[in-house]
Amino acid sequence: MMRVIDIANIKLTSVNRKYMVARGRLILSPEYRDFKRTVGIVARKGRTFDGDIAVTIRHSSRLDIDNPCKAILDSLQEVGVYHNDKQIKRLVVENDFKNSGTLTVDIEEVSA
């Protein structure tokens, strides 16, 4: 298992805030883009997973348990931690609802 993210004091973003309307068009919100950029910066990029993987996300926020997952997973794919989210065969998400702003993500290869 490899810890790819271990961060404290981050404001997690909700998938509900992914888009905003600007000039009559739906665009990614600045909040969502900033969160993805931060996750991409702190992600350990030393290895790219090529096969099937299991991802464990632990966060501490008042958000619904699944709300920040899309942004986290998209960010990891964009920075090359894995090639495609179709590689994820198991996803475990834990939230302690304490709102302390911690986020850890662990990835391990799994057998097909």
Side-chain angles (χ1 to χ4, degrees), residues 27-74:
I27 62 169
L28 287 178
S29 71
E31 177 185 350
Y32 191 83
R33 276 184 276 151
D34 289 345
F35 177 77
K36 282 180 53 175
R37 186 177 313 113
T38 300
V39 169
I41 289 169
V42 301
R44 183 172 295 155
K45 301 172 201 80
R47 175 177 180 197
T48 298
F49 291 88
D50 296 316
D52 293 341
I53 56 175
V55 178
T56 302
I57 298 171
R58 292 178 187 88
H59 64 93
S60 179
S61 71
R62 292 199 178 116
L63 296 173
D64 288 348
I65 195 164
D66 62 333
N67 260 345
C69 294
K70 180 71 173 155
I72 294 165
L73 297 174
D74 285 351

Side-chain angles (χ1 to χ4, degrees), residues 19-30 33:
Y19 297 106
M20 64 178 279
V21 177
R23 297 185 186 159
R25 294 186 5 237
L26 203 58
I27 62 169
L28 287 178
S29 71
R33 276 184 276 151

